Amino acid sequence: MEMEQLVALCKRRGFIFQSSEIYGGLNGFWDYGPLGVELKRNVREAWWRDMVAGHNELVAPPGAPAPYEMTGLDCSIIMHPQVWKCSGHYDLFHDFMVDCRETKGRYRHDQVQGRWVEYRGQRIFVTAEAAGSDGLEETLQKALKFFNVRGKNAVELKWDGPLVSLATVKDTSNALAPAAKQLGTFTDPREFNLMFKTIAGALGTEADAVFLRPETAQGIFVNFKNVLDSTRVKIPFGIAQIGKSFRNEITPRNFTFRSREFEQMEIEFFCHPATSPDWYRYWRDRRYKWYLDLGLSGDRLRLRDHDKEELSHYSCGTADIEYAFPFLSPGEFGELEGVAHRGDFDLRSHAEGKLVHADANDSSSPLVVEQDAEGKPKYRGSGKDLSYFDDQARERFLPHVIEPSAGADRATLAFLCEAYSEDEAPDENGKPAKRVVLRFHPRLAPYKAAVFPLVKKEGMPEIAQEIYAALKPHFPVFYDEKAAVGRRYRRQDEIGTPFCVTVDGQTLQDGSVTLRDRDTLKQWRVKKEDCLTEIGGRLRS
Ligand code: GAP
């Protein structure tokens, strides 16, 4: 499948639109249309149901070291700026960007890919933006013109070495930027913080600067004590949150894959340090299986453990769950979710230090982190005790955290990519013709069934509407009486509806209707009053 086909289908059938499209769009922002909103909601609900609401805290699920509890949170997007200083986002959450002085293109430094090419003793670094080698040949053609090399001289021009990132090139005076005609037009890399900044309050001064959260996780850490104090949860337990996050990505790309506004589904799982490696393995494997259970194929989904060098200093394990998105080069995978062992890093950072009044003589002045003699914060954290006391073991400790952190938009995109398929099926005239079908897992499909009268007469619409009304309270159903029935089937295939019910001539005689399966194209008859049991049973199986 070409990515363009999926993007076109998403727009045509109302799954995903570019944000502010009538004004030319806004790079890195997307709107979910009438079907997209249902699909993404189903992804979120499947996650919440499987991870939180449907979790049985009395028994240990397969692979879990012990029974555990799960609870939820919904935190604000804007939090106290100190949260981000403490989490490290304020100082460290940046990418390096480079500009091309000639084309005015702006790139994330590590994402510009290139290969060295040699021509008569001179080496130039030919680059293209992003994944794989897409665009490299095109830039090379420009390079050929640059060297005024045509025809047989071109064979003297040799690729030298593999595809590598621009970040590996120290001197860029011989680098050719994507689509540039001259050498050496890259600026030096510059640091760029990815957090969106805004102002809270009417004064509008820099002192009122706040940030849109770049992850939902920190809201969970800063509420750890509130959850402990307001519920009876005991370690081990997890806190889950679904919500929007914002990152001012330098180069948003690949449809919704890298956006500037996106939704995360994160769990912070708190456990005893001694058992944390077992919990890490449990969550890594459980989260991988979740995607498989919802239909992603094992060939395109992989679990990749990070090498020791890739791990943060506090982590004893991180794995990425990755999917072979069709916009990537063959053999490449893109991250769907990271599962990280975070140790006690976050709770420890938020616990450090203490808050004092900005003006020691004025108890109404704002609370700030205690400062040293030079006016710099003495500590990063809140100064609150975020430890946990196990009253049975009579032990106090800082819990370790396992963090499965998924992107709702990336998961939705992966389910769309996996579902898209083309095959041949009889058209409205009964002749074999190309069919586009979204083979969603039934839990994810926006509509679970569609109901049609074969024709708009002889009482068929009335019976079809009765069936529609009987199904509607149980799951989303679509009613359609327009166009030939073959075309109506095609429309439902294209949006992934698993079952269609048709009221036809035989219904008027014996009360049975035709049921059609989206994937097998099999048709069979059931009594009209049995539609709910029949479809409901198949959706659950
Ligand atoms: N709290 C950990 C954390 O935020 P992350 O790997 O930066 O980790 C987790 O993000 C997930 O959020 C990613 O695996 C991805 O699914 C999603 N995500 C991150 N940046 C994104 C972006 N710019 N657009 C869409 N999804 C994104």
Side-chain angles (χ1 to χ4, degrees):
M1 184 252 304
E2 296 296 327
M3 203 53 205
E4 291 72 34
Q5 292 169 291
L6 182 69
V7 174
L9 171 78
C10 283
K11 176 161 185 207
R12 191 171 68 246
R13 300 309 312 268
F15 281 96
I16 301 173
F17 308 126
Q18 205 183 4
S19 161
S20 326
E21 196 187 288
I22 61 167
Y23 290 103
L26 186 61
N27 199 8
F29 297 90
W30 298 94
D31 295 338
Y32 286 81
L35 290 178
V37 74
E38 295 298 332
L39 173 64
K40 190 167 152 194
R41 205 166 54 81
N42 291 343
V43 171
R44 285 196 303 254
E45 278 180 5
W47 185 87
W48 193 266
R49 169 112 218 112
D50 296 346
M51 299 300 125
V52 187
H55 170 72
N56 177 354
E57 67 279 6
L58 303 177
V59 286
Y68 62 88
E69 293 180 70
M70 288 298 293
T71 181
L73 264 186
D74 185 9
C75 306
S76 62
I77 284 170
I78 294 177
M79 291 189 269
H80 194 291
Q82 200 62 31
V83 170
W84 308 114
K85 294 207 174 134
C86 188
S87 68
H89 286 85
Y90 186 82
D91 296 315
L92 302 171
F93 194 51
H94 50 234
D95 280 336
F96 283 91
M97 64 179 176
V98 285
D99 292 314
C100 169
R101 281 185 289 262
E102 182 190 321
T103 65
K104 308 293 175 223
R106 172 161 288 174
Y107 310 99
R108 214 173 97 178
H109 189 216
D110 60 329
Q111 277 180 354
V112 182
Q113 301 258 303
R115 281 177 76 186
W116 288 98
V117 71
E118 195 172 326
Y119 177 69
R120 292 189 174 167
Q122 192 182 356
R123 291 179 86 225
I124 60 168
F125 188 67
V126 181
T127 65
E129 191 187 352
S133 55
D134 289 353
L136 211 56
E137 284 302 327
E138 209 177 292
T139 319
L140 178 62
Q141 292 311 318
K142 296 222 169 75
L144 291 173
K145 282 191 199 138
F146 176 82
F147 280 101
N148 209 6
V149 177
R150 296 247 151 59
K152 66 179 186 300
N153 281 348
V155 297
E156 293 178 36
L157 207 141
K158 285 197 232 86
W159 288 117
D160 173 15
L163 200 64
V164 290
S165 160
L166 178 67
T168 63
V169 178
K170 286 207 175 71
D171 174 5
T172 56
S173 54
N174 266 7
L176 188 67
K181 295 194 183 76
Q182 296 168 44
L183 286 181
T185 58
F186 278 123
T187 59
D188 285 338
R190 281 173 297 146
E191 240 175 41
F192 175 78
N193 194 295
L194 297 179
M195 282 197 295
F196 278 99
K197 195 174 183 181
T198 186
I199 299 287
L203 290 181
T205 63
E206 196 50 27
D208 300 322
V210 287
F211 301 92
L212 306 193
R213 68 181 175 203
E215 61 171 24
T216 60
Q218 296 304 320
I220 299 180
F221 294 123
V222 301
N223 277 296
F224 171 70
K225 208 70 183 166
N226 281 337
V227 173
L228 276 184
D229 294 347
S230 60
T231 64
R232 293 167 57 205
V233 282
K234 294 219 174 319
I235 271 176
F237 74 93
I239 306 180
Q241 173 163 218
I242 298 180
K244 290 263 177 144
S245 291
F246 301 80
R247 296 183 189 177
N248 198 359
E249 299 282 358
I250 295 166
T251 47
R253 66 172 75 210
N254 292 329
F255 204 19
T256 57
F257 180 82
R258 179 167 294 111
S259 314
R260 288 179 166 143
E261 173 177 343
F262 55 95
E263 216 160 348
Q264 289 185 309
M265 309 186 289
E266 297 200 292
I267 296 171
E268 305 304 325
F269 188 81
F270 301 93
C271 55
H272 192 282
T275 53
S276 63
D278 299 335
W279 284 111
Y280 164 68
R281 281 188 291 277
Y282 163 71
W283 279 108
R284 185 195 62 181
D285 299 345
R286 170 139 196 239
R287 291 300 306 143
Y288 176 71
K289 188 169 175 296
W290 186 78
Y291 292 100
L292 288 178
D293 289 348
L294 282 174
L296 296 191
S297 85
D299 321 342
R300 281 189 282 267
L301 189 71
R302 78 172 182 194
L303 186 63
R304 187 180 67 82
D305 283 307
H306 283 205
D307 299 334
K308 281 237 157 60
E309 305 79 68
E310 280 182 87
L311 295 180
S312 329
H313 61 280
Y314 51 78
S315 177
C316 75
T318 294
D320 285 342
I321 300 171
E322 300 177 327
Y323 183 71
F325 286 97
F327 48 76
L328 299 171
S329 305
E332 281 193 333
F333 286 75
E335 181 184 324
L336 271 183
E337 169 162 352
V339 183
H341 182 296
R342 298 184 62 89
D344 62 11
F345 174 79
D346 303 273
L347 288 181
R348 188 174 288 281
S349 313
H350 285 298
E352 267 181 1
K354 67 172 185 193
L355 289 177
V356 293
H357 286 287
D359 177 351
N361 300 318
D362 177 3
S363 61
S364 67
S365 65
L367 282 170
V368 293
V369 174
E370 196 180 7
Q371 302 188 335
D372 62 17
E374 288 167 14
K376 292 198 184 117
K378 247 187 183 171
Y379 312 97
R380 292 184 303 181
S382 64
K384 301 280 186 310
D385 176 11
L386 300 183
S387 65
Y388 174 83
F389 184 67
D390 181 335
D391 45 12
Q392 274 185 339
R394 312 294 304 159
E395 184 190 5
R396 181 170 290 283
F397 58 93
L398 259 191
H400 275 197
V401 170
I402 312 300
E403 177 192 67
S405 170
D409 306 87
R410 283 198 191 167
T412 304
L413 183 59
F415 289 125
L416 271 164
C417 293
E418 183 79 33
Y420 186 99
S421 69
E422 290 178 4
D423 61 10
E424 223 175 55
D427 66 7
E428 61 247 50
N429 306 313
K431 297 213 175 95
K434 190 183 114 178
R435 170 177 86 132
V436 172
V437 50
L438 290 182
R439 296 182 194 276
F440 287 130
H441 187 286
R443 288 180 75 188
L444 301 182
Y447 290 110
K448 311 302 177 195
V451 184
F452 314 142
L454 183 66
V455 289
K456 266 204 277 183
K457 52 188 180 190
E458 295 164 26
M460 291 186 205
E462 288 73 13
I463 301 175
Q465 283 162 21
E466 251 173 53
I467 298 172
Y468 171 77
L471 298 181
K472 190 76 178 165
H474 302 276
F475 41 74
V477 191
F478 191 79
Y479 177 80
D480 190 2
E481 55 180 33
K482 293 187 207 92
V485 75
R487 181 166 304 176
R488 281 180 266 165
Y489 283 144
R490 293 298 176 112
R491 280 197 207 132
Q492 294 306 315
D493 292 342
E494 216 186 30
I495 62 170
T497 307
F499 298 103
C500 291
V501 180
T502 306
V503 173
D504 49 27
Q506 202 176 321
T507 316
L508 305 178
Q509 291 162 18
D510 64 8
S512 71
V513 293
T514 303
L515 231 71
R516 172 187 180 269
D517 180 297
R518 174 196 71 196
D519 296 337
T520 62
L521 293 172
K522 279 202 185 116
Q523 300 195 1
W524 68 104
R525 298 199 75 85
V526 295
K527 284 200 200 125
K528 63 178 188 220
E529 54 278 14
D530 290 346
C531 282
L532 178 60
T533 338
E534 179 79 13
I535 298 174
R538 283 171 188 264
L539 288 173
R540 279 191 295 275
S541 65

